[in-house]
Amino acid sequence: MDSTPPPHPQFPMSSIPRLPSPSTSRHHRGSISSSFSFGPQQMVDSYMDANTSTISNPHSLGLDPNRSVLPASPLRSSPRRHRKAKSSVNKPHPLAHDTTDVFQDSEEGIDDESEYEWGMVDRMRLWRHDALMQHLYETAAFWGDKILSWTNDPNDAFWLAQTYFMTHQYSRAERLLTRPFTTPPPKPSTPPPTINGQSKGKGKEDDVSQSANSQRLPMGPAGIIEVTVDQQEKVSRLVDMSVACRYLAAQCQMRQGNWSDALEMLGESNPFRESGRSGPSIPNLDGGIKVEASMCHLRGILMLKLNRGDQAKQCFMEALALDVKCFEAFDQLVTGEMMTPDEEWEFVRGLSYSHQTPQDAQFVQLIYTSRLRKYKHVKEHALTRQKLVEEYNLGDNPDVLFSFADALYANFRWADCFTITTRVLGLVSIHNLTMPLHIACMYHLQHLHSKLFMLAHEMVDREPENPISWYAVGVWYLSGGKWHQARQYFSKTSLMDPRFAPAWVAFGHTFALEGEHDHAVTAYSTCARMFTGSHLPLMFVGMEHIMLSNYALADEALNAAYSMCDGDPLLMNERGVMAYNHGDFEKAATFFQEALELAQVTQSSRKSWATTYINLGTCYRRLRRLDDAQETYKKVLELEPRHSVALGFLGMVYHLKGDLDQAIIRYHESLSIDPANPHILEVLNMAIDTVTSQVPGQTSPDAEFRQAIKELKETYMKLGVKIKGKERALLGLGLPRSHLQLAGASASTNNATGVAASSSVTGGAHGKRQEEEGDEMSIGE
């Protein structure tokens, strides 16, 4: 696998219409709100000027979207001046000593310290940043407010707003960011006068004199300030002075639930796209994460809140294309199953890793590839995990271990997957990607149901605000067949996190397992609309329509699922069932054979595909390929020697071939496992009648057995069991239902969030279908 793919194809960025300003400037004395636009277009218009003003005025916040917030970070506003680097050969790092404070310099810098004397504002800025690092947010807000009163500096206002945001005071932070500030004058090119080699004014007097020139502009009750026309040119809001401030203000509005206002703050689309300095090939200017990418990600979140899924997908793709380090955009795309497996693979492989992170391109690509769905590219996924373990020493990293577990779950290797997930939870108490897989494995392994009960209670006690905790409770009720209680907790999970895919899929499973197929179709259809990149909801819709004999709708759903993912063996099995229902046995056999071949490629357990083997053998039997049918049924018995259906079907093959003795033996073996199977009882009766009729005038040598059979038939008639004169050959309709695991969005039969595991299988809501449909066939035909 290439370490760094070529940057093409890159994310296509279409042209964006210019956003009109919602307000117009006034030439008379009026409100300060009329002097600037509430939209981001003004920042784009002044983009080139902003780059120049940022250099000339270090107090201003840059408008360059290719930067991160580092220009406004503590490093930029630190009271300490940069000193020349000194030789560090054989010199330990200051943080290597336990007694060294994070702000303490080495002894070699003591002489340099005398070159600059700190003032009151400088010292309080240090207090503010130190309080932030130590999570003393009230302390940081207290001193930060005093600093802002003295300096009225945009950088100080930005960090005070950050402090308010960290303490969940979103309205207060937004008010500060949208409040008018006097634009600071450019820094003079000549150095300040000095006395005896030192700067004039070093201390409180200088701080106070600086603040006297910048007056604070308070806002009235309606947020309006009356200023003269000449003052409007010198006044602006922080959101119009800085991209970072605008992004923070939009975050505050989103946290308050004002999604439309936040979207207006950011713009309906990326306003920097046509600025000439935006795109995947533009490198980061400071090594951080581009604010432009963060704004695109936030725009995508707002689109999801407003139920505009397609636009949200484009926003997340644009964010990741602009900066591959923006993991949250990647997580939304993959965990939310917004792209099909093929689209997902091509997009992630085509990102501009080499342009944006030339030194770390291979690692970023590998760690992203490990999270993709695993229906295809099995060898590439295995090589990716191998490199992460051997070259990057991440064999015990929870995210890498999740990739291993996701692949195992996709292959129905639940016991092996449970071993890996247990290791992950031993490293971290809660791992949101791994928990749905872990819960699903405990659902499938019956001996772990008691542990699932304990785990669910422990999670509810420890993290009641986590939707996964209530999801675990729902899965436990599902494992006990308590459909109504399970639905209640799955609904609660969906209300807590509408984008948690396993809960939606498991909710549909409760209806399907209860036999409420119409309600199941509705639930799966809702899931399909929410997670447009996953084929599993559509496949489940098709399975339910098969149960309802709505073959036209079933074909439509299964074909739509196949167009999204052609590498899922379970989907191929369901397509084979539909071909069988249409009477095309040759095509059905082809589908079943393809399903088994795909299962072998993914290295899944053959035992999990016993039903598909039975389906294939039944097709051979209808095609009169009795030798092939016999071999296929024997493969099932190799996997499960006590498979009653396979034994009964094998007896039918012997019956059709005229070997009645072997047929009767197989029928007896099948009835010893499932004594209440009326179909096998009927064909056994036919076989015995045939043997008896071959010797005229001779009574049956097994009269006692026939009498017992007669009594059993009478018992079944009393119980209301209708035994037809013709045999109904059982045709399995599918393997256990897969959970949609979107979260981990791996997308094979595994998405552990509830959508398929690489999709990972979500939530553990797999359950075998109880109904089986048969092909009418007379033994004598």
Side-chain angles (χ1 to χ4, degrees), residues 499-520:
R499 299 294 301 175
F500 187 65
W504 286 99
V505 179
F507 183 79
H509 288 345
T510 60
F511 287 115
L513 296 173
E514 195 176 7
E516 297 287 345
H517 304 299
D518 289 328
H519 290 80

Side-chain angles (χ1 to χ4, degrees), residues 28 111 132 183 189 218 398 432 518 546-547 605 640:
H28 57 83
D111 296 337
L132 285 174
T183 306
S189 57
N432 289 337
D518 289 328
I546 292 176
M547 301 300 297
S605 173
E640 296 185 49

Side-chain angles (χ1 to χ4, degrees), residues 338-354:
M338 292 186 172
M339 294 188 289
T340 65
D342 289 334
E343 291 175 347
E344 193 177 79
W345 179 267
E346 295 299 327
F347 175 70
V348 173
R349 297 277 292 180
L351 293 173
S352 302
Y353 301 100
S354 57

Side-chain angles (χ1 to χ4, degrees), residues 585-653:
F585 305 125
E586 192 70 42
K587 186 177 181 180
T590 302
F591 282 140
F592 292 135
Q593 189 63 45
E594 289 180 8
L596 294 173
E597 291 175 357
L598 288 173
Q600 293 176 359
V601 170
T602 58
Q603 300 178 357
S604 61
S605 173
R606 292 178 62 194
K607 187 176 180 179
S608 300
W609 300 97
T611 303
T612 305
Y613 277 108
I614 292 177
N615 293 346
L616 178 61
T618 303
C619 291
Y620 287 152
R621 179 160 54 86
R622 293 302 302 267
L623 292 169
R624 295 295 178 177
R625 296 168 57 179
L626 300 181
D627 291 337
D628 293 335
Q630 179 178 336
E631 292 300 321
T632 304
Y633 291 140
K634 286 184 177 180
K635 288 181 180 178
V636 178
L637 295 176
E638 292 175 1
L639 302 175
E640 296 185 49
R642 291 180 55 80
H643 200 295
S644 62
V645 176
L647 287 168
F649 285 176
L650 183 59
M652 292 180 186
V653 173

Side-chain angles (χ1 to χ4, degrees), residues 45-271:
D45 296 338
S46 59
Y47 178 69
M48 299 306 296
D49 296 337
N51 291 331
T52 306
S53 64
T54 302
I55 299 175
S56 62
N57 183 11
H59 295 285
S60 65
L61 289 161
L63 300 180
D64 194 340
N66 294 312
R67 295 182 183 271
S68 66
V69 297
L70 291 178
S73 67
L75 179 63
R76 176 66 179 264
S77 58
S78 173
R80 294 177 183 266
R81 290 182 173 179
H82 296 287
R83 293 188 294 272
K84 295 182 179 180
K86 297 187 178 181
S87 175
S88 60
V89 180
N90 298 326
K91 171 186 172 183
H93 192 277
L95 299 182
H97 303 285
D98 295 337
T99 59
T100 303
D101 183 78
V102 293
F103 288 97
Q104 182 177 339
D105 289 325
S106 61
E107 295 181 357
E108 296 182 6
I110 295 179
D111 296 337
D112 295 335
E113 190 68 31
S114 61
E115 296 179 1
Y116 178 73
E117 180 182 352
W118 288 8
M120 180 179 291
V121 172
D122 298 325
R123 290 191 294 270
M124 289 190 178
R125 281 173 175 161
L126 175 62
W127 300 350
R128 179 190 63 197
H129 290 306
D130 202 16
L132 285 174
M133 293 299 100
Q134 299 184 37
H135 308 289
L136 302 174
Y137 299 119
E138 292 299 329
T139 301
F142 181 80
W143 298 120
D145 179 69
K146 307 308 176 289
I147 296 169
L148 182 60
S149 296
W150 283 331
T151 65
N152 205 29
D153 187 286
N155 276 299
D156 294 323
F158 172 79
W159 283 103
L160 181 58
Q162 287 279 18
T163 305
Y164 290 151
F165 185 87
M166 293 176 184
T167 54
H168 310 292
Q169 301 181 60
Y170 307 120
S171 178
R172 195 174 181 182
E174 180 192 356
R175 177 87 167 200
L176 182 60
L177 294 168
T178 56
R179 199 197 73 189
F181 274 83
T182 302
T183 306
K187 183 179 179 181
S189 57
T190 59
T194 60
I195 299 178
N196 297 329
Q198 295 186 357
S199 298
K200 181 180 180 181
K202 297 284 186 176
K204 179 178 178 180
E205 295 78 5
D206 183 55
D207 296 331
V208 176
S209 63
Q210 290 180 3
S211 63
N213 297 326
S214 57
Q215 296 180 357
R216 207 170 191 176
L217 300 174
M219 297 183 67
I224 298 177
I225 299 178
E226 298 293 333
V227 296
T228 58
V229 176
D230 58 337
Q231 288 179 329
Q232 290 184 10
E233 298 178 356
K234 301 179 181 179
V235 174
S236 181
R237 302 181 305 171
L238 291 182
V239 293
D240 292 320
M241 298 165 59
S242 166
V243 178
C245 290
R246 182 171 288 271
Y247 170 70
L248 181 59
Q251 285 277 13
C252 294
Q253 291 173 334
M254 187 196 71
R255 299 300 176 94
Q256 296 177 81
N258 301 327
W259 302 327
S260 298
D261 294 341
L263 190 60
E264 182 182 358
M265 179 70 69
L266 294 175
E268 289 280 339
S269 56
N270 184 7

